């Protein structure tokens, strides 16, 4: 989910035209212009929040990861600011299994021994099973020719004739890594090596080493990832024998979401969310201090004297455990009943909105760029963003609902969603550089998930542009009388901790 963020993109020329090429349902006019709110949600105030988050990380081992003192201090900062603005804040607690690598090894025993360096030649997949094995390698339904279209490992039939006890060599593509791993384990594989697909996707690395997550609970076998070239080389060897080992820990981790509501109609709740946690490797100021700070400042300004009375309730959500696999937001949605899901009009998600080598991305709610639409109403969310950026003469490009941020649980349960993103580890294309400036061939954020994701790397210009769009979209949906709501049945019971129920945040 969050280990990599490979973003699909359409051609720039087609994208710019997209902003005016479709007509989703009309949105009722807002009761007031967003200009005053946009002016109030100022860059200096947002940067002040980022400075506070940076100081918190520095004082707490360099990070703000879920379950740590850095996360707790970050939460207290958010709660203090919201309380001062007039909000009642509530913590929604949850626990999850947190994966940590102790050590991992991948080496070719024969023919011609070869060691693969961790972090360069291979990576263990998050939530990999543990094990230390030496065994022959068997390729599973791979395709190294033409467009390298691959469904390798996606079906049990792919393992017909597989020798139990061997290591499965599986190509990336089509289905989730977890499905591939589980099918390999069911076929008797002692371990699995998943190599990159090797196909061409503009602006996306489908050749090099990649990371990924299998999701909890751990599968029965150790699973690692490697590059396309490494996988193709192994596939071409006769009787290759590999040594594969993964040693990892699983820790029961307690974390929480922070929720705060405005007034307004509870049956048309506008959920504005950003994840508060960082990765353990760094302070997470772009990922996702920028989204956190922008929605925090929007919430504060909505409570200032003279602000309009909102038609619909806005719930500001600061998610925990996102970096471990969207844990907090998934938990939130899992607790909703069918009625509560219908009471959610829309989810607006903001994750990384200050990337140094940025592109202005808008989620493709109507599916016109990538063929996969969000739930009914998602096209309307996209249109609000596209119309806004058009009014500001700021070009944007679409990005797919690829399941890599906190909107995922919402769209999976029929709640309309949308949001903004400015890029992570993918390389900026020449076309993107021509439109947005910056440097082609360099990552949108070369410090993604690293210790160097600090405040000095945030692009203030795009941060302010995105913050204005965040304020505009929040107010637009808070004031509209259009009925756009979740439609799918919920699985939750509505049961939450007593404090949560006492504050009647879910009804």
């Amino acid at each position: 989910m969050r280990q990599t963020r490979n973003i699909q993109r359409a051609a720039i020329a087609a994208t710019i035209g997209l902003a005016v090429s479709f007509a989703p349902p009309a949105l009722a006019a807002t009761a007031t212009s967003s200009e005053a709110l946009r002016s109030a949600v100022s860059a200096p105030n947002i940067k002040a929040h980022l400075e506070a988050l940076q100081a918190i990380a520095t004082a707490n081992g360099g990070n703000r990861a879920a379950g740590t003192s850095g996360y707790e201090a970050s939460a207290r900062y958010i709660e203090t600011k919201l309380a001062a603005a007039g909000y009642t804040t509530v913590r929604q607690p949850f626990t999850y299994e947190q994966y940590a690598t102790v050590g991992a090894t991948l080496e070719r025993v024969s023919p011609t021994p070869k060691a693969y360096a961790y972090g360069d030649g291979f990576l263990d997949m998050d939530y990999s099973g543990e094990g230390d094995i030496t065994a022959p390698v068997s390729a599973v339904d791979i395709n190294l020719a033409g467009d390298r279209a691959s469904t390798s490992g996606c079906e049990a039939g792919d393992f017909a004739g597989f020798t139990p006890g061997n290591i499965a060599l599986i190509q990336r593509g089509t289905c989730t890594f977890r499905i591939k791993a589980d099918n390999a384990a069911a076929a008797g594989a002692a371990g699995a090596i998943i190599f990159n697909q090797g196909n061409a996707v503009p602006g996306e690395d489908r050749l090099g080493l990649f990371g990924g997550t299998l999701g909890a609970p751990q599968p029965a076998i150790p699973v690692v990832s490697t590059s396309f070239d490494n996988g193709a080389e192994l596939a071409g060897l006769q009787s290759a024998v590999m040594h594969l080992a993964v040693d990892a820990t699983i820790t029961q981790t307690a974390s929480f979401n922070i929720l705060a509501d405005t007034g307004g109609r509870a049956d048309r709740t506008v959920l504005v969310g950003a994840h508060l946690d960082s990765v353990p490797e760094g302070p997470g100021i772009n990922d996702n201090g920028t989204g956190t700070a922008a929605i925090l400042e929007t919430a504060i300004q909505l409570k200032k004297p003279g602000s309009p009375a909102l038609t619909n309730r806005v719930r500001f959500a600061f998610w925990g455990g996102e970096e471990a696999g969207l844990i907090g937001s998934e938990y939130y949605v899992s607790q909703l009943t069918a009625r509560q899901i219908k009471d959610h009009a829309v989810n607006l998600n903001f994750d990384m909105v200050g990337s140094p080598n940025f592109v202005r991305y808008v989620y493709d709610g109507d599916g016109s760029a990538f063929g996969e639409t969000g739930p009914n109403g998602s096209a309307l969310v996209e249109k609000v963003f596209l119309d806004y950026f058009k009014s500001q003469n700021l070009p944007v490009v679409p990005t797919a609902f690829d399941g890599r941020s906190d909107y995922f649980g919402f769209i999976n349960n029929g709640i309309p969603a949308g949001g903004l993103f400015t890029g992570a580890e993918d390389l900026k294309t020449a076309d993107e550089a021509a439109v947005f400036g910056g440097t082609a061939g360099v990552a949108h954020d070369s410090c993604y998930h690293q210790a160097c994701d600090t405040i000095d790397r945030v692009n203030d210009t795009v941060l302010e542009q995105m913050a204005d769009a965040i304020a505009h979209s929040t107010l637009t949906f808070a004031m509209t009388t259009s009925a756009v709501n979740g439609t799918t049945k919920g699985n939750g019971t509505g049961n939450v901790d007593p404090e949560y129920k006492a504050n009647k945040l879910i009804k």
Side-chain angles (χ1 to χ4, degrees):
M1 296 177 197
R2 290 281 297 132
Q3 183 69 15
T4 59
R5 190 191 291 273
N6 291 318
I7 302 299
Q8 302 174 10
R9 284 164 282 185
I12 296 292
T15 300
I16 294 172
L18 178 65
V20 294
S21 65
F22 65 90
L27 184 70
T30 58
T32 184
S33 166
S34 69
E35 184 176 358
L37 180 61
R38 285 186 280 124
S39 296
V41 178
S42 67
N45 288 348
I46 295 171
K47 287 299 292 287
H49 300 318
L50 293 181
E51 288 167 358
L53 294 176
Q54 177 70 70
I56 287 168
T58 301
N60 289 275
N63 72 81
R64 303 180 300 102
T68 68
S69 60
Y71 186 79
E72 173 64 29
S74 298
R76 290 181 180 177
Y77 176 80
I78 299 298
E79 291 165 335
T80 298
K81 290 296 182 181
L82 289 173
Y87 288 92
T88 297
T89 62
V90 173
R91 293 188 178 190
Q92 183 187 32
F94 56 87
T95 59
Y96 67 98
E97 295 182 341
Q98 188 173 50
Y99 177 90
T101 305
V102 176
T105 300
L106 183 66
E107 53 190 2
R108 191 168 70 216
V109 176
S110 65
T112 314
K114 177 181 179 179
Y116 299 81
Y118 185 83
D120 183 31
F122 83 104
L123 288 167
D124 58 321
M125 288 201 155
D126 280 2
Y127 295 95
S128 166
E130 295 184 275
D132 189 333
I133 54 176
T134 299
V137 173
S138 296
V140 177
D141 190 31
I142 65 176
N143 175 24
L144 305 181
D147 62 3
R148 297 166 179 161
S150 172
T151 61
S152 172
C154 292
E155 298 177 350
D158 293 344
F159 293 85
F162 183 86
T163 302
N166 281 7
I167 296 171
L169 180 65
I170 303 172
Q171 188 174 10
R172 183 183 185 181
T174 304
C175 64
T176 66
F177 303 133
R178 183 57 187 251
I179 290 173
K180 296 173 186 284
D182 284 346
N183 284 338
I193 301 169
I194 302 178
F195 67 96
N196 215 340
Q197 189 170 350
N199 55 329
V201 177
E204 182 178 340
D205 183 5
R206 285 281 179 150
L207 293 171
L209 176 65
F210 66 98
T213 184
L214 303 172
Q218 291 174 283
I221 59 175
V223 182
V224 300
S225 62
T226 192
S227 67
F228 173 78
D229 284 347
N230 284 342
E233 180 185 29
L234 286 175
L237 296 174
Q238 294 293 323
S239 303
V241 175
M242 299 292 291
H243 174 215
L244 188 165
V246 175
D247 183 11
T249 61
I250 294 291
T251 305
Q252 281 294 124
T253 300
S255 190
F256 53 89
N257 302 318
I258 299 172
L259 307 172
D261 286 353
T262 68
R265 289 185 56 166
D267 62 339
R268 291 186 182 171
T269 295
V270 179
L271 195 294
V272 179
H275 75 87
L276 178 58
D277 61 317
S278 75
V279 292
E281 291 80 6
I285 301 304
N286 186 33
D287 182 18
N288 182 37
T290 53
T292 294
I295 73 166
L296 172 61
E297 188 60 22
T298 300
I300 291 170
Q301 295 304 326
L302 278 176
K303 283 285 192 177
K304 288 294 178 68
S307 297
L310 304 182
T311 303
N312 305 322
R313 176 174 68 179
V314 178
R315 171 168 293 163
F316 292 97
F318 300 84
W319 306 121
E322 192 268 1
E323 297 291 5
L326 316 179
I327 305 296
S329 56
E330 293 274 8
Y331 179 78
Y332 174 86
V333 178
S334 76
Q335 299 305 294
L336 301 177
T337 65
R339 177 67 259 172
Q340 290 163 353
I341 282 181
K342 287 188 68 66
D343 287 345
H344 282 67
V346 67
N347 168 226
L348 303 178
N349 184 71
F350 305 108
D351 190 356
M352 300 181 69
V353 292
S355 302
N357 197 28
F358 70 87
V359 170
R360 285 182 292 269
Y361 290 115
V362 175
Y363 285 108
D364 181 31
D366 72 338
S368 60
F370 301 102
E372 294 186 6
T373 62
N376 181 42
S378 300
L380 189 60
V381 182
E382 183 185 13
K383 184 178 188 300
V384 167
F385 285 117
L386 295 179
D387 287 350
Y388 170 75
F389 283 115
K390 182 182 177 183
S391 75
Q392 303 299 305
N393 295 314
L394 295 172
V396 297
V397 293
T399 184
F401 277 128
D402 62 358
R404 297 189 56 195
S405 193
D406 286 304
Y407 61 80
F408 189 59
F410 292 88
I411 64 174
N412 274 354
N413 285 275
I415 297 172
L420 304 174
F421 171 54
T422 55
E425 83 277 26
D426 290 327
L427 304 182
K428 176 173 273 189
T429 67
D431 283 342
E432 289 173 340
V435 173
F436 299 100
T439 307
V442 174
H444 300 121
D445 186 349
S446 58
C447 285
Y448 173 65
H449 280 189
Q450 297 179 49
C452 56
D453 182 9
T454 57
I455 191 169
D456 59 307
R457 291 187 49 80
V458 170
N459 186 299
D460 293 351
T461 299
V462 77
L463 175 62
E464 184 160 21
Q465 292 169 350
M466 292 308 211
D468 283 349
I470 289 168
H472 172 79
S473 61
T474 299
L475 188 61
T476 297
F477 283 101
M479 301 303 292
T480 183
T481 57
S482 295
V484 178
N485 294 80
T487 57
T488 303
K489 292 181 179 179
N491 298 317
T493 63
N495 292 330
V496 288
D497 64 283
E499 181 184 13
Y500 193 57
K501 291 179 73 173
N503 282 282
K504 298 180 180 179
L505 286 173
I506 286 185
K507 300 178 179 178

